[in-house]
Structures are given as C-alpha cells and as structure tokens.
Amino acid sequence: MKALITGGAGFIGSHLSERLLQCGHEVGIIDNLSTGSIDNVLHLKSKPGFSYVIDTIDNESLLAEWIDRCDVVFHLAAAVGVKLIVERPVHTIETNVHGTEVVLKHANKKKKLVVLASTSEVYGKSTDVPFREGADLVLGATVKHRWAYACSKLLDEFLALAYWKERKLPVVIARLFNTVGPRQTGQYGMVLPTFVRQALSGQPITVFGDGRQSRSFTYVGDVVDALIGLTQEPKAVGEVFNIGNTTEVTIGELAERVKTLTGSDSVIQYVPYDQAYEAGFEDMPRRVPDISKINALIGFQPKLELDDIIRSVIEFARSN
Ligand code: UDP
C-alpha cells in the first residue's frame, strides 16, 4: 500500500515509516517539524518508496495532493506532551482540532482510509481500570488546561466517527497508551526519556507527585505493528481500539528501575505537581488498557517488556 503519515518525522511516525518500508509499502510523510525532527527520518531518505515534505497540514492544497496519491492516511500530526499542552493550550486545541478536520475533509473526497492516533488521556481521571473502549470518560474542569488535550482528541474521535456514520469515510481510531522507545525526546515532558537523561547525566531523577501514580508503557515497535495490523482488517473500520501494554508500573518504581539499569548515582527527587506543571494540576492516578478488543481482532499482544524497553531507551540515549 501507499501510506501517508502526517507527523511522520515524529517519534512514532518515524518508527511507523521505517516498519512500513521494511514491509515493502510506499511511505510519504508530511511534517512541520514542530515537535518532530528531520534527524528521525534521515536514515530513510535514500530508501526506495520514501518521500517527504516539510510543511504543515494547514497547507490544504498540498495535503489534498498527498492524500490523493495514497491508499491510507495515518494521522499522527498533533500537539503532544503534557508539558507542552499545559504551557500552550491554544496551540494544542487549534492544532489537534483543525488538523484532524482538514485531514478528514480531504480523505473523504476519495474515501481514503484514515487511521487516527488518539490517546489514553481521553479516559481522564476514570478509576474504572483497566480502561475499555466503550467506558465512560471522566475529564476535569475546563480551567485545568491539561484536559484540553483529551478534549481535543475526543472531538477528533467524534468527528472521525461522524464521517464514517454519515459519509462512509473509512476510519479507525487508535487510543495509544504511553508509547516509549528510541527517538522519543523528554523535551515535552515524557517521563521515560527524561528519567534516562537525568540518570545518565547524574542529575536528580524528578518524580512528580508522590510517585504512586502508575502507567503502562508500550514499546513503539509494538504500537506501529498494531497500527499497521488494523489497516489490514476491514472489521476495524468505524471502531475504536486501545493499543498498549497491560503491565503496570508506578512512576516511583520506574525511577528506581531506570536508576538500577543505568547504574546511576542520581538521587530520586520528589517534585510537587504544582511546581512541575501548574497550580491545581491533576494527574491520572492509573492508566492501564484492556486490550481484549484489538487482541481478538488482529491478535495484538505487545512483545517487549518494561526492562527491555528501558534498556533500548538507555542505549539510544548513550549513542546520542
Ligand atoms: N512524570 C514525572 N517526572 C517527569 C515527567 C513526568 O514524574 O520528569 C510523571 C507525570 O507526572 C505522570 C507520568 O510521569 O504521572 C507520565 O508522564 P508523561 O508526561 O510521560 O505522560 P502522561 O501519562 O502524563 O501523558
């Protein structure tokens, strides 16, 4: 197939490009390098079947042309990272809502399959763990900027599902849980690359809150396999899927594991949320996916476990 990846020079987009090319597909990417980096795809530039353009998806005539040339659009371009979202809520909402609007509008003209990258953040403060796709979503008040991200992505989901219902545009929605691996930067707040960088440079490892909040981390290679797998299954159309690893770890424990696996002397430092983000910041206490739906449909089961994932991130950080 010919795939177009918006946000293809980002962390997940670059791994998706790589895997699609390995499987013999053609890949085009559009990226404005806002949070992505050309370095992520430099090694792909000479590969047959790879093309890229550095531009924003707001350039609608260009976007329409690139969509015309592909069979499937992976829409990954978005504002991501809790730190970025809290600092730049206007940018977050506009990028996420408008970006998806234009992608769906142009994909609809020739009914090209769209895989929309959504997020586990949409489950919000729900304590009904593990999270199932059909569950109620529990967001905080609108004065807490963090929730703007979940809300913008929810609007994207609603719009994509509306296009399917009303206009028969084939869409698949993927709710990605904390995805980690080489090339992810800690610049926008992501915890694992931040901890690894701190540990390797002997700086304090900064655990926000009391460290008892938990996440389940998925290796990026497992995530991109799931995204590709969903495009091969017609029954995925019009559906929402969790993509994640069900192994849960607290952030305090993650800091300990990073410290051990790097052999670092760094101290683990606890930082109150209001200092780390903003006054009144609300975190998600737990975030674990129920992956029975995607497992039943395409047999998805994450392969890499946490220590191996951490090792891959350490190796990447050391070599950079
Ligand atoms: N976190 C932390 N220290 C950091 C960055 C993040 O303790 O330097 C915490 C953050 O408060 C959250 C968890 O790690 O509880 C995961 O944060 P991340 O931003 O990676 O993703 P989130 O799951 O919040 O979207």
Side-chain angles (χ1 to χ4, degrees), residues 14-158:
S14 66
H15 285 274
L16 180 60
S17 301
E18 207 172 282
R19 186 63 53 93
L20 284 164
L21 290 167
Q22 274 167 7
C23 298
H25 303 295
E26 285 181 35
V27 175
I29 70 173
I30 301 186
D31 200 301
N32 66 357
L33 304 183
S34 56
T35 52
S37 161
I38 199 71
D39 291 343
N40 288 340
V41 289
L42 274 183
H43 64 298
L44 302 178
K45 273 172 81 174
S46 57
K47 302 254 187 230
F50 180 73
S51 54
Y52 72 97
V53 59
I54 304 304
D55 208 326
T56 139
I57 52 177
D58 286 345
N59 183 343
E60 287 193 43
S61 54
L62 178 118
L63 176 72
E65 245 176 67
W66 281 64
I67 288 180
D68 271 0
R69 291 205 295 262
C70 78
D71 309 309
V72 50
V73 184
F74 292 92
H75 178 41
L76 269 54
V80 289
V82 178
K83 190 161 165 263
L84 179 74
I85 280 139
V86 169
E87 283 167 8
R88 300 185 60 198
V90 174
H91 167 79
T92 301
I93 297 166
E94 288 183 350
T95 304
N96 294 357
V97 175
H98 181 66
T100 303
E101 216 176 301
V102 294
V103 165
L104 292 170
K105 179 172 92 181
H106 292 290
N108 185 53
K109 289 183 188 154
K110 305 238 171 102
K111 306 293 177 203
K112 301 290 173 79
L113 174 65
V114 177
V115 178
L116 173 72
S118 185
T119 169
S120 56
E121 179 86 6
V122 300
Y123 292 103
K125 297 187 283 183
S126 169
T127 51
D128 189 11
V129 176
F131 297 144
R132 280 172 302 276
E133 292 86 346
D136 288 346
L137 309 169
V138 187
L139 303 187
T142 49
V143 289
K144 316 252 178 201
H145 294 299
R146 172 201 190 124
W147 303 116
Y149 175 57
C151 206
S152 66
K153 283 293 189 177
L154 278 177
L155 198 55
D156 291 350
E157 289 195 16
F158 274 124

Side-chain angles (χ1 to χ4, degrees), residues 120 129-131 175-180 214-223 226 242-249 257 286-292 294 300-310:
S120 56
V129 176
F131 297 144
R175 289 185 181 160
L176 309 187
F177 283 65
N178 295 65
T179 303
V180 288
S214 77
R215 295 293 186 268
S216 31
F217 294 93
T218 320
Y219 186 62
V220 64
D222 286 330
V223 170
N242 289 334
I243 300 180
N245 194 319
T246 50
T247 309
E248 193 177 3
V249 63
R257 288 219 207 175
R286 289 178 73 191
R287 193 191 267 177
V288 187
D290 179 322
I291 54 169
S292 49
I294 188 166
F300 170 73
Q301 192 61 49
K303 295 188 193 79
L304 221 61
E305 282 310 330
L306 188 59
D307 282 352
D308 290 328
I309 299 176
I310 298 173

Side-chain angles (χ1 to χ4, degrees), residues 173-241:
I173 292 165
R175 289 185 181 160
L176 309 187
F177 283 65
N178 295 65
T179 303
V180 288
R183 296 189 206 129
Q184 185 176 39
T185 155
Q187 227 178 322
Y188 308 103
M190 279 75 168
V191 67
L192 185 56
T194 304
F195 281 3
V196 168
R197 179 181 45 77
Q198 291 167 333
L200 290 179
S201 59
Q203 290 167 344
I205 300 175
T206 53
V207 173
F208 300 161
D210 62 11
R212 282 189 294 180
Q213 72 274 31
S214 77
R215 295 293 186 268
S216 31
F217 294 93
T218 320
Y219 186 62
V220 64
D222 286 330
V223 170
V224 301
D225 283 345
L227 291 173
I228 297 169
L230 287 172
T231 65
Q232 310 298 309
E233 177 45 77
K235 288 199 194 96
V237 170
E239 297 287 335
V240 179
F241 297 92

